[in-house]
Amino acid sequence: MKSLLLYLQNHQTRIGSLVLFTLSIAFVVYLTPREVKFKYEFQKGKPWLYENLVAPFDFPVIKTPEEIEAEKERLDKEKTLFLKAKDDVPESALAGFESEFNSDWNKAALGEDSIGRPGRDEVFTEALKTRLEDKGKKVLTAIYKKGVLRPFEKEGLTYGEVLLTSQGVSSTVQLTDYYSIATATEAVRSAFKDEPDFVRRVIVPSLLDQLQYNIDLDQKTTDNYLQSQMEGIVPTRGVVLVDELIIFKGNIVDDEKFAKLNSLKLSYQGSFDNKFGVYYLLAGQILQIGLLFAVLYIFLMQFRKQLMEDITKLTFILMNVLFVVLLVRLVLSFGVQYVYLVPFTILPITLKSFFDTRLALFVNMVAVLICGIMLPNSFEFIYLQFIAGVFSVVLVNNLYKRSQLFFTAAKIILVYCLSYLAMAVIQEGNLQQIDKLNFAFFAGNGFLTLMSFPLIYFQEKTFGFVSDVSLLELSDTNNPLLRKLAQQAPGTFQHSMQVANLAEAAILKIHGNALLVRTGALYHDIGKMNNPMYFIENQTTGFNPHDELSFEESAEIIIGHVKDGIKLAKKNNLPDVLIDFIRTHHGTSTVMYFYKKYIKNFPEEEVDLRKFTYPGPKPFSKETAALMMADSVEAASRSLPKPDHEKIDKLVEGIIDQQMESGQFENADITLREIKEIKQIFKKMLMNIYHVRVQYPE
């Protein structure tokens, strides 16, 4: 038991990383749908690369969404119109006509109306009245039997059959069969055109007053019937029988074959051969997803071992991967067509802000493959996201500049659109069949990517990381801590500025993080503020306080500026990545001046080298190594009497070679070639600083 506890204690970081990966695998497996995957990958317009495929069982051919939409459009274009008859209108109109006609007739016969008294040809007999009344009723009945249709908006309206519902019975009719008010009025006037003028003046107004609409469009029934037709659309078209040949090897997957293959794929998904099928599926998903995370684990162990030893950074990486996986899964619950709205490039952009490009690309690739497991025909998704991820990392620079925000979105949108257009043209063979809605999704995707910038700030504060934005703020010389350094140790401040310029130029040459090394250089000597006069660059009066101290005491004060700088940095909440520059800028080197003084003055005494040696650690990155070189070279160059090309060359070569020989760069990922390039940069910049003329060949 004791040995087990000791093992756990000694390997707690590795165990913690394994626990994180195990939890990540479990989370992704939980999100992954429990569906049987079709074992063939195929694309429209591409050849079938497998053996001849026959139907393993009977299955229906599923209509595509486009086919169903076309069928709905056809139903809407050929929809049935329903008209309804007002059965009470004819009877009411006849009664109204009889009453009004009798009244008007009596008034006309007595000369009490506006027509005037009857002339000798105007005989208002009872027989005439009866004949006219009967004729008027027949005309009115004939009009309402045919029907007077209320006008409705016909512009843009398409329809097929027209049905009239009257007294609970529906019959097929034509819209042209009905009267309008205008044509009904004409019919009344035409019926009495041969009658005497005084007759027409009495009966025609009575009839016209009774004309009204008795046929209306039944909009509710029309809409309900159309809706029921659309809901009744059959989602399949035909059946493929067992052992029926679906496609030959090498045949092009055209629309018909694509429909059959896609229908077979849908039939496979969600089906299990036996009661243990779901457990086999779960085991397969665990193995598949586990292998992808194993690839990431091996990559980090092989090339980024320091990340595996930092649980916070490892948690950060895995949480970002799980975040995009969860986002894709949530979008899939609304529909697979919305997956292109997911701002997937947030992942590589965020990782690049805190780590290197290689790590961002690799993690993005693993995340894309994990999400591809959840999607049908995942090649298209993987292709688009891989291309967009690479471009987002390679082309998106200077995230700390506000002007870059919208340029970033525009670049990502353009990459998505061009990638999709190229693939869609190959698949469809023309531009007409391309789904234009996807371009709108890509536009939304690009602008949603702008979320990465507040997300970077939030994660920076949560995990204690530092981004380019924070480095830019910290490198401002108006920062309170740098202003304090300039006031209390002005010589050290000027030295730090020169070191920052040298280190930045060197890192730019070897493709490191220039902003990081510049910021680290500005803060690397802040510990000298505690005892500024003990450092030669701040001594302006000619008095040297080291003259009153022993060599060990002087070395202790000089070495102590590293420890003082770390304390001051932590007190002012500087990020660890900058504190690393303070820790490592002298590595495990020796304070040679006081060490040699001690040996010279006490040749017979045994010297304790630890009293004259910095505690380290040694530089462990290109940036910290470049700062050590720049710091040593810049400080030594100030002591050069009348610097010239030869002296500067000898100084740079000697100092950096001595650092290499003492093993100061053995933990840093910097090559001999890069060190040689840094030497050349330092020589050139120092000659410019000291105005040394270029050495011409003799």
Side-chain angles (χ1 to χ4, degrees):
M1 185 66 181
K2 189 175 181 180
S3 60
L4 177 61
L5 292 175
L6 184 62
Y7 177 83
L8 293 176
Q9 185 177 2
N10 293 335
H11 298 85
Q12 57 183 345
T13 302
R14 177 169 293 185
I15 294 171
S17 64
L18 288 173
V19 169
L20 284 175
F21 272 90
T22 302
L23 292 175
S24 300
I25 293 169
F27 182 74
V28 175
V29 170
Y30 173 76
L31 292 179
T32 306
R34 303 289 178 266
E35 294 179 346
V36 178
K37 287 291 185 179
F38 194 49
K39 63 181 178 180
Y40 302 111
E41 283 287 339
F42 57 91
Q43 289 180 275
K44 189 187 298 184
K46 293 290 186 68
W48 178 255
L49 302 177
Y50 310 97
E51 297 299 325
N52 299 345
L53 181 63
V54 297
F57 47 77
D58 296 344
F59 65 90
V61 180
I62 309 297
K63 294 178 182 176
T64 64
E66 292 77 15
E67 289 176 322
I68 293 177
E69 188 61 33
E71 198 164 339
K72 287 182 178 180
E73 290 179 1
R74 182 184 60 78
L75 287 175
D76 185 63
K77 187 175 182 180
E78 300 175 1
K79 64 183 173 184
T80 300
L81 296 183
F82 284 85
L83 305 177
K84 57 183 177 181
K86 297 181 179 179
D87 296 326
D88 59 329
V89 169
E91 185 177 346
S92 173
L94 288 172
F97 163 70
E98 185 177 355
S99 173
E100 186 175 347
F101 174 71
N102 287 329
S103 175
D104 290 347
W105 181 271
N106 292 333
K107 288 179 181 179
L110 297 173
E112 296 176 356
D113 63 345
S114 59
I115 299 174
R117 298 192 64 80
R120 55 187 168 182
D121 295 328
E122 298 173 349
V123 181
F124 293 87
T125 63
E126 196 64 30
L128 179 59
K129 175 186 175 185
T130 301
R131 182 178 70 82
L132 292 176
E133 184 176 353
D134 290 342
K135 184 176 180 181
K137 289 180 178 180
K138 289 179 181 178
V139 171
L140 206 56
T141 300
I143 289 174
Y144 281 115
K145 185 176 181 180
K146 186 174 182 180
V148 182
L149 177 63
R150 185 187 302 276
F152 56 88
E153 183 61 45
K154 296 186 180 66
E155 185 175 351
L157 176 67
T158 56
Y159 56 89
E161 190 178 25
V162 181
L163 295 178
L164 172 67
T165 301
S166 178
Q167 297 179 350
V169 179
S170 296
S171 57
T172 303
V173 295
Q174 298 292 330
L175 292 180
T176 55
D177 293 342
Y178 296 106
Y179 286 114
S180 64
I181 290 294
T183 57
T185 300
E186 182 61 30
V188 169
R189 296 187 185 278
S190 178
F192 292 93
K193 65 179 181 179
D194 295 330
E195 298 290 342
D197 186 53
F198 77 93
V199 170
R200 292 197 303 273
R201 289 200 300 268
V202 175
I203 195 169
V204 170
S206 300
L207 288 170
L208 296 182
D209 287 345
Q210 303 308 315
L211 291 181
Q212 56 183 303
Y213 302 111
N214 70 321
I215 306 295
D216 285 328
L217 175 66
D218 190 347
Q219 189 66 55
K220 182 178 180 181
T221 302
T222 299
D223 293 341
N224 289 342
Y225 185 72
L226 177 61
Q227 184 64 30
S228 67
Q229 284 183 304
M230 288 188 175
E231 291 174 355
I233 292 176
V234 179
T236 62
R237 52 178 178 88
V239 175
V240 177
L241 301 178
V242 62
D243 294 331
E244 181 181 335
L245 180 66
I246 298 175
I247 189 170
F248 281 109
K249 180 179 180 179
N251 277 11
I252 299 298
V253 181
D254 56 20
D255 290 338
E256 183 65 26
K257 293 183 178 67
F258 183 81
K260 291 181 179 180
L261 289 170
N262 203 46
S263 300
L264 178 60
K265 178 179 179 179
L266 293 174
S267 299
Y268 262 108
Q269 290 178 348
S271 62
F272 299 100
D273 293 336
N274 54 62
K275 62 180 181 180
F276 298 108
V278 67
Y279 299 109
Y280 288 130
L281 175 64
L282 180 60
Q285 289 178 339
I286 292 173
L287 181 60
Q288 188 179 39
I289 294 168
L291 286 172
L292 287 173
F293 275 102
V295 169
L296 179 58
Y297 182 88
I298 293 170
F299 171 82
L300 294 176
M301 285 294 294
Q302 187 74 22
F303 302 105
R304 299 293 184 274
K305 196 169 184 178
Q306 69 275 16
L307 290 179
M308 295 297 289
E309 296 171 355
D310 190 329
I311 295 298
T312 301
K313 291 181 179 179
L314 183 59
T315 302
F316 171 79
I317 293 171
L318 292 177
M319 281 187 63
N320 276 276
V321 172
L322 297 181
F323 170 72
V324 295
V325 173
L326 177 61
L327 201 58
V328 169
R329 185 67 185 93
L330 290 174
V331 170
L332 285 178
S333 63
F334 294 97
V336 69
Q337 67 272 25
Y338 300 113
V339 74
Y340 292 134
L341 200 56
V342 177
F344 209 97
T345 50
I346 283 180
L347 177 62
I349 289 174
T350 302
L351 292 179
K352 185 188 176 184
S353 299
F354 300 111
F355 305 105
D356 58 280
T357 300
R358 186 179 180 186
L359 176 69
L361 288 174
F362 194 88
V363 174
N364 178 67
M365 181 186 69
V366 172
V368 167
L369 291 173
I370 291 172
C371 293
I373 294 173
M374 302 180 182
L375 297 166
N377 287 333
S378 55
F379 171 78
E380 182 177 304
F381 172 82
I382 292 173
Y383 169 78
L384 289 176
Q385 300 302 346
F386 177 76
I387 295 294
V390 171
F391 274 92
S392 67
V393 170
V394 175
L395 296 183
V396 177
N397 297 309
N398 302 326
L399 293 180
Y400 49 85
K401 293 183 179 180
R402 287 178 294 179
S403 61
Q404 287 294 319
L405 300 183
F406 294 101
F407 284 117
T408 298
K411 290 176 183 178
I412 291 172
I413 293 170
L414 181 61
V415 169
Y416 269 122
C417 291
L418 291 177
S419 303
Y420 175 74
L421 183 64
M423 185 170 55
V425 168
I426 293 174
Q427 291 177 346
E428 303 294 345
N430 56 65
L431 296 175
Q432 288 72 30
Q433 299 297 322
I434 295 177
D435 190 353
K436 309 300 189 300
L437 184 60
N438 283 334
F439 293 102
F441 288 151
F442 295 144
N445 184 317
F447 286 106
L448 285 175
T449 303
L450 298 179
M451 289 172 49
S452 59
F453 302 102
L455 185 63
I456 289 171
Y457 177 80
F458 171 76
Q459 292 180 331
E460 182 179 4
K461 300 304 178 184
T462 302
F463 290 91
F465 296 159
V466 58
S467 67
D468 287 351
V469 178
S470 295
L471 288 176
L472 192 67
E473 294 173 353
L474 291 169
S475 64
D476 185 358
T477 54
N478 288 314
N479 182 283
L481 188 56
L482 292 180
R483 293 303 307 158
K484 187 177 179 181
L485 176 64
Q487 293 168 3
Q488 295 185 7
T492 299
F493 178 76
Q494 292 300 323
H495 161 70
S496 298
M497 292 288 291
Q498 293 287 10
V499 171
N501 292 334
L502 288 171
E504 182 181 32
I507 282 297
L508 284 172
K509 182 66 175 178
I510 63 174
H511 308 293
N513 190 331
L515 185 57
L516 174 61
V517 77
R518 179 174 185 82
T519 310
L522 292 174
Y523 289 92
H524 81 283
D525 269 345
I526 57 174
K528 292 181 179 180
M529 283 193 291
N530 288 359
N531 299 292
M533 297 307 297
Y534 284 87
F535 299 91
I536 192 170
E537 66 265 21
N538 299 310
Q539 297 172 4
T540 56
T541 61
F543 171 71
N544 189 344
H546 287 287
D547 295 340
E548 301 177 355
L549 300 176
S550 67
F551 300 127
E552 294 98 325
E553 289 173 331
S554 294
E556 182 180 0
I557 292 174
I558 297 299
I559 293 171
H561 87 275
V562 173
K563 187 182 295 183
D564 293 339
I566 294 172
K567 291 179 180 179
L568 194 58
K570 290 182 176 179
K571 182 180 178 181
N572 287 271
N573 298 316
L574 289 185
D576 288 340
V577 69
L578 294 185
I579 297 177
D580 288 339
F581 285 93
I582 301 174
R583 289 192 181 100
T584 62
H585 76 278
H586 285 294
T588 56
S589 61
T590 303
V591 185
M592 295 303 296
Y593 179 80
F594 293 108
Y595 175 67
K596 290 181 178 180
K597 282 277 189 180
Y598 184 91
I599 293 175
K600 183 178 180 180
N601 284 275
F602 305 99
E604 297 179 355
E605 294 187 14
E606 185 177 352
V607 61
D608 186 358
L609 189 60
R610 290 177 299 179
K611 293 182 179 180
F612 296 91
T613 303
Y614 286 96
K618 297 176 181 179
F620 48 81
S621 66
K622 288 182 180 181
E623 288 76 16
T624 51
L627 175 64
M628 171 184 272
M629 291 183 251
D631 180 46
S632 301
V633 166
E634 201 283 332
S637 68
R638 291 174 178 266
S639 63
L640 283 176
K642 297 182 180 180
D644 56 24
H645 184 276
E646 184 178 350
K647 290 178 180 178
I648 290 175
D649 185 86
K650 184 178 179 180
L651 175 76
V652 172
E653 292 287 344
I655 289 176
I656 296 179
D657 286 347
Q658 192 278 327
Q659 290 174 336
M660 291 173 61
E661 290 172 4
S662 63
Q664 297 301 318
F665 307 135
E666 61 186 9
N667 296 330
D669 56 341
I670 190 168
T671 65
L672 292 174
R673 180 177 181 179
E674 289 171 337
I675 292 175
K676 183 178 180 181
E677 290 175 340
I678 289 175
K679 288 179 180 179
Q680 297 301 322
I681 290 292
F682 286 170
K683 293 174 187 177
K684 182 178 179 181
M685 292 189 68
L686 288 174
M687 285 191 291
N688 289 332
I689 291 172
Y690 294 110
H691 307 291
V692 176
R693 292 187 178 184
V694 177
Q695 189 178 43
Y696 295 100
E698 296 180 359

